[in-house]
Amino acid sequence: MSGFERRNGELFVESVSCQSLAQQYGTPLFVYSRAAIEQSWKAFDAALGDRPHLVCYAMKANSNIALLQVLAGLGSGFDIVSGGELKRVEAAGGDLKKVVFSGVGKTRDEMAMALEAGILCFNVESMDEIGELAEVAAAHGVIAPVSVRVNPDVDAKTHPYISTGLKDNKFGIAFDDAQNAYRRIADSASLNVIGMDCHIGSQLTDIAPYQDALSRLLALCDLLESQDIVLKHLDLGGGQGIRYKDEETLNLDAWAAAMFQEIGDRNYEIIVEPGRSIVGNAGALLTSVNAIKPGEHKNFAIVDAAMNDLIRPALYSAWQEIVPVVESSEPQKLYDVVGPVCESADFLGKERELAIEKNDLLAILSAGAYSFCMSSNYNSRPRAAEVMVDGDTAHLIRQRESLESLYASESLIAS
Ligand code: LLP
């Protein structure tokens, strides 16, 4: 379920017409379905069944505080990667004791903030980080709970930019060094070993890489246990793919069953860190056609959203479906859907069959994850507004930026 469906040729999000949202709030506009977000989170929770577990939403996928508030209301934990994300969890009323802190370059200030907040766990990614965390915790007179992010060196078979579990990736502690890392943590008076984690990549559509990674991790867990280093939890990361076009996605129940089969009767609490699969399909970017430019080889539909609003097509050659908000019976033509930014990489979709005219509205689907949160002000373009729809009610959850706000924190030099 995405929360988006067509009724009498018109696109709706839950019970609200996308056209009316565009009229009320302007474009470009991100719209999300609360019901779809809740349903995806509950599907994860249900797949993990009776085994003790915690779903920690990887909030880098979409960190709007209203969205975090909705997930916190379901009992979600959060996977964070910065002090800024920790602040957002706090602002949203999330439970800080359900926060796991991932990331390859945590600063001392961020470590201190997270220790003061009393988070569940630090997922450490290097020997240097272990040393620094031990020092910061000692200086604060506390003991930091730690999991080692192990890089299992498995090929997740996804786009190279979003593959993270190979030994040439910067992420995690190399499998062969992990035992030493645990020994170092166990020997430190200000660190407490509580878990092991991995995250091998994003937009995965196959269970096999998860199985490969988990079986390597479990061998390590068993070895540690024989050395009296006992773990409480196993964090399997995120990465579950969604359907953008025609991908065969993972069946979550089958995925969980496969994970449980590997784990057998070992008694770990399970943590997962899904991001994209919770919010990806639950959002769309609405945009207006500003101009139609017929060309010799192809036509351009120049829209008011651009690569600064949605960078995935430019950055990863990602394909996202583009549909008219109101269907037309006119004949279709072939378009490149492009934005106003001065870059040839500024496209949202290439070679799309569309029946459109100037001023029509388009929806770019599956734009709930890694879309708004990766947006920028390039070309001095204010970032878009965001709306969350709940049944027949639309909540404005982020105002469109004003032009003045673009330079509000800059200053002129004394002349
Ligand atoms: N845990 C860790 C440690 C991660 O680095 C990530 C994502 C996740 C969990 C969540 O992964 P997910 O379930 O969302 O696949 N911007 C890219 C995706 C980057 C993913 C980065 N890490 C995109 O737009 O495709």
PDB file of all heavy atoms in Angstrom, residues 58 60-61 79 102 149 162 199 201-203 237-240 273-277 312 316 370 374, ligand 1:
ATOM      1  N   ALA A  58      15.368   4.090  10.306  1.00  0.00           N
ATOM      2  CA  ALA A  58      16.586   4.812   9.890  1.00  0.00           C
ATOM      3  C   ALA A  58      16.151   6.171   9.365  1.00  0.00           C
ATOM      4  O   ALA A  58      15.764   6.328   8.203  1.00  0.00           O
ATOM      5  CB  ALA A  58      17.334   4.020   8.809  1.00  0.00           C
ATOM      6  N   LYS A  60      17.453   8.832   8.465  1.00  0.00           N
ATOM      7  CA  LYS A  60      18.093   9.554   7.370  1.00  0.00           C
ATOM      8  C   LYS A  60      17.213   9.516   6.121  1.00  0.00           C
ATOM      9  O   LYS A  60      17.312  10.366   5.258  1.00  0.00           O
ATOM     10  CB  LYS A  60      19.485   8.974   7.077  1.00  0.00           C
ATOM     11  CG  LYS A  60      19.439   7.535   6.622  1.00  0.00           C
ATOM     12  CD  LYS A  60      20.796   7.027   6.158  1.00  0.00           C
ATOM     13  CE  LYS A  60      21.727   6.719   7.290  1.00  0.00           C
ATOM     14  NZ  LYS A  60      21.340   5.524   8.101  1.00  0.00           N
ATOM     15  N   ALA A  61      16.315   8.522   6.039  1.00  0.00           N
ATOM     16  CA  ALA A  61      15.461   8.396   4.850  1.00  0.00           C
ATOM     17  C   ALA A  61      14.456   9.556   4.750  1.00  0.00           C
ATOM     18  O   ALA A  61      14.108   9.986   3.641  1.00  0.00           O
ATOM     19  CB  ALA A  61      14.713   7.062   4.873  1.00  0.00           C
ATOM     20  N   ASP A  79      17.220   4.859  14.264  1.00  0.00           N
ATOM     21  CA  ASP A  79      18.632   4.729  13.929  1.00  0.00           C
ATOM     22  C   ASP A  79      19.078   6.113  13.474  1.00  0.00           C
ATOM     23  O   ASP A  79      18.527   6.647  12.500  1.00  0.00           O
ATOM     24  CB  ASP A  79      18.798   3.698  12.801  1.00  0.00           C
ATOM     25  CG  ASP A  79      20.192   3.714  12.206  1.00  0.00           C
ATOM     26  OD1 ASP A  79      21.161   3.770  12.982  1.00  0.00           O
ATOM     27  OD2 ASP A  79      20.317   3.682  10.966  1.00  0.00           O
ATOM     28  N   SER A 102      24.402   5.070  14.586  1.00  0.00           N
ATOM     29  CA  SER A 102      25.302   4.545  13.558  1.00  0.00           C
ATOM     30  C   SER A 102      26.150   5.690  13.008  1.00  0.00           C
ATOM     31  O   SER A 102      25.939   6.848  13.367  1.00  0.00           O
ATOM     32  CB  SER A 102      24.498   3.946  12.409  1.00  0.00           C
ATOM     33  OG  SER A 102      23.655   2.927  12.851  1.00  0.00           O
ATOM     34  N   ARG A 149      29.835  -2.442  14.522  1.00  0.00           N
ATOM     35  CA  ARG A 149      29.326  -2.647  13.169  1.00  0.00           C
ATOM     36  C   ARG A 149      30.387  -3.413  12.394  1.00  0.00           C
ATOM     37  O   ARG A 149      31.468  -2.896  12.105  1.00  0.00           O
ATOM     38  CB  ARG A 149      29.027  -1.322  12.473  1.00  0.00           C
ATOM     39  CG  ARG A 149      28.617  -1.527  11.017  1.00  0.00           C
ATOM     40  CD  ARG A 149      28.063  -0.297  10.393  1.00  0.00           C
ATOM     41  NE  ARG A 149      27.773  -0.485   8.993  1.00  0.00           N
ATOM     42  CZ  ARG A 149      27.315   0.458   8.193  1.00  0.00           C
ATOM     43  NH1 ARG A 149      27.099   1.664   8.667  1.00  0.00           N
ATOM     44  NH2 ARG A 149      27.068   0.212   6.929  1.00  0.00           N
ATOM     45  N   ILE A 162      25.326   2.769  -3.022  1.00  0.00           N
ATOM     46  CA  ILE A 162      24.521   2.431  -1.839  1.00  0.00           C
ATOM     47  C   ILE A 162      24.808   1.004  -1.365  1.00  0.00           C
ATOM     48  O   ILE A 162      24.033   0.390  -0.668  1.00  0.00           O
ATOM     49  CB  ILE A 162      22.994   2.679  -2.067  1.00  0.00           C
ATOM     50  CG1 ILE A 162      22.491   2.007  -3.335  1.00  0.00           C
ATOM     51  CG2 ILE A 162      22.696   4.151  -2.085  1.00  0.00           C
ATOM     52  CD1 ILE A 162      20.981   2.158  -3.560  1.00  0.00           C
ATOM     53  N   HIS A 199      25.190  -3.496   8.270  1.00  0.00           N
ATOM     54  CA  HIS A 199      24.256  -2.940   7.285  1.00  0.00           C
ATOM     55  C   HIS A 199      24.994  -3.043   5.965  1.00  0.00           C
ATOM     56  O   HIS A 199      26.036  -2.416   5.789  1.00  0.00           O
ATOM     57  CB  HIS A 199      23.908  -1.484   7.627  1.00  0.00           C
ATOM     58  CG  HIS A 199      23.112  -0.830   6.537  1.00  0.00           C
ATOM     59  ND1 HIS A 199      21.756  -1.055   6.374  1.00  0.00           N
ATOM     60  CD2 HIS A 199      23.468   0.002   5.533  1.00  0.00           C
ATOM     61  CE1 HIS A 199      21.336  -0.384   5.315  1.00  0.00           C
ATOM     62  NE2 HIS A 199      22.342   0.263   4.795  1.00  0.00           N
ATOM     63  N   GLY A 201      23.858  -2.607   2.697  1.00  0.00           N
ATOM     64  CA  GLY A 201      23.517  -1.813   1.524  1.00  0.00           C
ATOM     65  C   GLY A 201      22.043  -1.488   1.513  1.00  0.00           C
ATOM     66  O   GLY A 201      21.299  -1.881   2.411  1.00  0.00           O
ATOM     67  N   SER A 202      21.647  -0.763   0.491  1.00  0.00           N
ATOM     68  CA  SER A 202      20.277  -0.259   0.435  1.00  0.00           C
ATOM     69  C   SER A 202      19.614  -0.696  -0.871  1.00  0.00           C
ATOM     70  O   SER A 202      20.306  -0.975  -1.854  1.00  0.00           O
ATOM     71  CB  SER A 202      20.342   1.267   0.506  1.00  0.00           C
ATOM     72  OG  SER A 202      19.111   1.824   0.820  1.00  0.00           O
ATOM     73  N   GLN A 203      18.282  -0.714  -0.852  1.00  0.00           N
ATOM     74  CA  GLN A 203      17.488  -1.139  -2.019  1.00  0.00           C
ATOM     75  C   GLN A 203      17.877  -2.571  -2.431  1.00  0.00           C
ATOM     76  O   GLN A 203      18.116  -2.881  -3.581  1.00  0.00           O
ATOM     77  CB  GLN A 203      17.637  -0.122  -3.178  1.00  0.00           C
ATOM     78  CG  GLN A 203      16.767  -0.364  -4.413  1.00  0.00           C
ATOM     79  CD  GLN A 203      15.262  -0.438  -4.129  1.00  0.00           C
ATOM     80  OE1 GLN A 203      14.774  -0.055  -3.080  1.00  0.00           O
ATOM     81  NE2 GLN A 203      14.499  -0.970  -5.048  1.00  0.00           N
ATOM     82  N   GLY A 237      20.533  -4.278  10.575  1.00  0.00           N
ATOM     83  CA  GLY A 237      20.567  -3.150   9.641  1.00  0.00           C
ATOM     84  C   GLY A 237      19.247  -2.991   8.910  1.00  0.00           C
ATOM     85  O   GLY A 237      18.204  -3.515   9.326  1.00  0.00           O
ATOM     86  N   GLY A 238      19.316  -2.253   7.807  1.00  0.00           N
ATOM     87  CA  GLY A 238      18.104  -2.030   6.992  1.00  0.00           C
ATOM     88  C   GLY A 238      18.360  -2.523   5.589  1.00  0.00           C
ATOM     89  O   GLY A 238      18.977  -3.568   5.410  1.00  0.00           O
ATOM     90  N   GLY A 239      17.916  -1.753   4.601  1.00  0.00           N
ATOM     91  CA  GLY A 239      18.256  -2.059   3.218  1.00  0.00           C
ATOM     92  C   GLY A 239      17.164  -2.695   2.378  1.00  0.00           C
ATOM     93  O   GLY A 239      17.345  -2.888   1.169  1.00  0.00           O
ATOM     94  N   GLN A 240      16.030  -3.042   2.997  1.00  0.00           N
ATOM     95  CA  GLN A 240      14.978  -3.729   2.239  1.00  0.00           C
ATOM     96  C   GLN A 240      14.468  -2.826   1.093  1.00  0.00           C
ATOM     97  O   GLN A 240      14.078  -1.680   1.322  1.00  0.00           O
ATOM     98  CB  GLN A 240      13.820  -4.106   3.169  1.00  0.00           C
ATOM     99  CG  GLN A 240      14.151  -5.228   4.147  1.00  0.00           C
ATOM    100  CD  GLN A 240      14.989  -4.807   5.337  1.00  0.00           C
ATOM    101  OE1 GLN A 240      15.219  -3.633   5.548  1.00  0.00           O
ATOM    102  NE2 GLN A 240      15.442  -5.775   6.125  1.00  0.00           N
ATOM    103  N   GLU A 273      16.957  -1.787  11.187  1.00  0.00           N
ATOM    104  CA  GLU A 273      17.093  -0.349  10.910  1.00  0.00           C
ATOM    105  C   GLU A 273      16.545  -0.018   9.517  1.00  0.00           C
ATOM    106  O   GLU A 273      17.268   0.494   8.662  1.00  0.00           O
ATOM    107  CB  GLU A 273      18.573   0.064  10.936  1.00  0.00           C
ATOM    108  CG  GLU A 273      19.326  -0.241  12.208  1.00  0.00           C
ATOM    109  CD  GLU A 273      20.842  -0.035  12.045  1.00  0.00           C
ATOM    110  OE1 GLU A 273      21.323   0.225  10.928  1.00  0.00           O
ATOM    111  OE2 GLU A 273      21.546  -0.151  13.062  1.00  0.00           O
ATOM    112  N   PRO A 274      15.278  -0.284   9.243  1.00  0.00           N
ATOM    113  CA  PRO A 274      14.766   0.021   7.908  1.00  0.00           C
ATOM    114  C   PRO A 274      14.470   1.511   7.742  1.00  0.00           C
ATOM    115  O   PRO A 274      13.987   2.162   8.663  1.00  0.00           O
ATOM    116  CB  PRO A 274      13.463  -0.781   7.845  1.00  0.00           C
ATOM    117  CG  PRO A 274      13.011  -0.862   9.271  1.00  0.00           C
ATOM    118  CD  PRO A 274      14.253  -0.874  10.114  1.00  0.00           C
ATOM    119  N   GLY A 275      14.779   2.050   6.572  1.00  0.00           N
ATOM    120  CA  GLY A 275      14.459   3.443   6.278  1.00  0.00           C
ATOM    121  C   GLY A 275      13.536   3.520   5.085  1.00  0.00           C
ATOM    122  O   GLY A 275      12.325   3.729   5.192  1.00  0.00           O
ATOM    123  N   ARG A 276      14.111   3.245   3.897  1.00  0.00           N
ATOM    124  CA  ARG A 276      13.362   3.378   2.646  1.00  0.00           C
ATOM    125  C   ARG A 276      12.040   2.610   2.660  1.00  0.00           C
ATOM    126  O   ARG A 276      11.009   3.108   2.203  1.00  0.00           O
ATOM    127  CB  ARG A 276      14.228   2.864   1.498  1.00  0.00           C
ATOM    128  CG  ARG A 276      13.650   3.113   0.127  1.00  0.00           C
ATOM    129  CD  ARG A 276      14.398   2.310  -0.931  1.00  0.00           C
ATOM    130  NE  ARG A 276      15.821   2.335  -0.824  1.00  0.00           N
ATOM    131  CZ  ARG A 276      16.631   3.194  -1.470  1.00  0.00           C
ATOM    132  NH1 ARG A 276      16.119   4.070  -2.307  1.00  0.00           N
ATOM    133  NH2 ARG A 276      17.939   3.141  -1.309  1.00  0.00           N
ATOM    134  N   SER A 277      12.087   1.367   3.194  1.00  0.00           N
ATOM    135  CA  SER A 277      10.889   0.523   3.089  1.00  0.00           C
ATOM    136  C   SER A 277       9.758   1.021   3.992  1.00  0.00           C
ATOM    137  O   SER A 277       8.614   0.617   3.826  1.00  0.00           O
ATOM    138  CB  SER A 277      11.239  -0.931   3.414  1.00  0.00           C
ATOM    139  OG  SER A 277      11.810  -1.009   4.699  1.00  0.00           O
ATOM    140  N   ARG A 312      17.850  11.964  -6.649  1.00  0.00           N
ATOM    141  CA  ARG A 312      18.114  10.546  -6.909  1.00  0.00           C
ATOM    142  C   ARG A 312      18.312  10.240  -8.403  1.00  0.00           C
ATOM    143  O   ARG A 312      19.228   9.498  -8.760  1.00  0.00           O
ATOM    144  CB  ARG A 312      17.009   9.660  -6.317  1.00  0.00           C
ATOM    145  CG  ARG A 312      16.857   9.817  -4.792  1.00  0.00           C
ATOM    146  CD  ARG A 312      15.967   8.758  -4.170  1.00  0.00           C
ATOM    147  NE  ARG A 312      16.589   7.464  -4.208  1.00  0.00           N
ATOM    148  CZ  ARG A 312      16.301   6.536  -5.060  1.00  0.00           C
ATOM    149  NH1 ARG A 312      15.323   6.725  -5.937  1.00  0.00           N
ATOM    150  NH2 ARG A 312      16.937   5.400  -5.066  1.00  0.00           N
ATOM    151  N   TYR A 316      21.993   8.769  -8.864  1.00  0.00           N
ATOM    152  CA  TYR A 316      22.116   7.303  -9.000  1.00  0.00           C
ATOM    153  C   TYR A 316      21.499   6.778 -10.306  1.00  0.00           C
ATOM    154  O   TYR A 316      21.230   5.584 -10.406  1.00  0.00           O
ATOM    155  CB  TYR A 316      21.383   6.577  -7.864  1.00  0.00           C
ATOM    156  CG  TYR A 316      21.600   7.119  -6.473  1.00  0.00           C
ATOM    157  CD1 TYR A 316      20.545   7.728  -5.793  1.00  0.00           C
ATOM    158  CD2 TYR A 316      22.820   6.990  -5.831  1.00  0.00           C
ATOM    159  CE1 TYR A 316      20.715   8.214  -4.494  1.00  0.00           C
ATOM    160  CE2 TYR A 316      22.986   7.469  -4.548  1.00  0.00           C
ATOM    161  CZ  TYR A 316      21.946   8.076  -3.889  1.00  0.00           C
ATOM    162  OH  TYR A 316      22.107   8.558  -2.627  1.00  0.00           O
ATOM    163  N   TYR A 370      14.683   9.454   0.993  1.00  0.00           N
ATOM    164  CA  TYR A 370      15.861  10.019   0.364  1.00  0.00           C
ATOM    165  C   TYR A 370      15.484  11.044  -0.708  1.00  0.00           C
ATOM    166  O   TYR A 370      16.092  11.093  -1.774  1.00  0.00           O
ATOM    167  CB  TYR A 370      16.745   8.902  -0.211  1.00  0.00           C
ATOM    168  CG  TYR A 370      17.153   7.895   0.842  1.00  0.00           C
ATOM    169  CD1 TYR A 370      16.694   6.574   0.795  1.00  0.00           C
ATOM    170  CD2 TYR A 370      17.946   8.268   1.912  1.00  0.00           C
ATOM    171  CE1 TYR A 370      17.038   5.662   1.792  1.00  0.00           C
ATOM    172  CE2 TYR A 370      18.290   7.353   2.914  1.00  0.00           C
ATOM    173  CZ  TYR A 370      17.836   6.063   2.839  1.00  0.00           C
ATOM    174  OH  TYR A 370      18.175   5.166   3.820  1.00  0.00           O
ATOM    175  N   MET A 374      17.358  14.921   1.077  1.00  0.00           N
ATOM    176  CA  MET A 374      18.579  15.142   0.294  1.00  0.00           C
ATOM    177  C   MET A 374      18.469  16.417  -0.539  1.00  0.00           C
ATOM    178  O   MET A 374      19.310  16.676  -1.402  1.00  0.00           O
ATOM    179  CB  MET A 374      18.848  13.941  -0.632  1.00  0.00           C
ATOM    180  CG  MET A 374      19.202  12.670   0.128  1.00  0.00           C
ATOM    181  SD  MET A 374      19.481  11.249  -0.961  1.00  0.00           S
ATOM    182  CE  MET A 374      21.147  11.568  -1.557  1.00  0.00           C
TER     183      MET A 374
HETATM  184  N1  LLP B   1      21.330   1.591   8.684  1.00  0.00           N
HETATM  185  C1  LLP B   1      22.453   2.176   8.231  1.00  0.00           C
HETATM  186  C2  LLP B   1      23.681   2.093   9.043  1.00  0.00           C
HETATM  187  C3  LLP B   1      22.451   2.851   6.997  1.00  0.00           C
HETATM  188  O1  LLP B   1      23.568   3.420   6.541  1.00  0.00           O
HETATM  189  C4  LLP B   1      21.258   2.926   6.236  1.00  0.00           C
HETATM  190  C5  LLP B   1      21.210   3.627   4.957  1.00  0.00           C
HETATM  191  C6  LLP B   1      20.090   2.318   6.780  1.00  0.00           C
HETATM  192  C7  LLP B   1      20.168   1.651   7.985  1.00  0.00           C
HETATM  193  C8  LLP B   1      18.781   2.356   6.075  1.00  0.00           C
HETATM  194  O2  LLP B   1      18.815   1.722   4.827  1.00  0.00           O
HETATM  195  P1  LLP B   1      17.454   1.575   3.989  1.00  0.00           P
HETATM  196  O3  LLP B   1      16.529   0.631   4.757  1.00  0.00           O
HETATM  197  O4  LLP B   1      16.851   2.939   3.835  1.00  0.00           O
HETATM  198  O5  LLP B   1      17.904   1.016   2.695  1.00  0.00           O
HETATM  199  N2  LLP B   1      20.390   7.921  -0.629  1.00  0.00           N
HETATM  200  C9  LLP B   1      20.339   6.565  -1.128  1.00  0.00           C
HETATM  201  C10 LLP B   1      20.256   5.558  -0.007  1.00  0.00           C
HETATM  202  C11 LLP B   1      21.383   5.687   1.004  1.00  0.00           C
HETATM  203  C12 LLP B   1      21.271   4.713   2.164  1.00  0.00           C
HETATM  204  C13 LLP B   1      22.256   5.038   3.224  1.00  0.00           C
HETATM  205  N3  LLP B   1      22.213   4.188   4.387  1.00  0.00           N
HETATM  206  C14 LLP B   1      19.175   6.450  -2.106  1.00  0.00           C
HETATM  207  O6  LLP B   1      18.479   7.444  -2.333  1.00  0.00           O
HETATM  208  O7  LLP B   1      18.952   5.402  -2.715  1.00  0.00           O
END
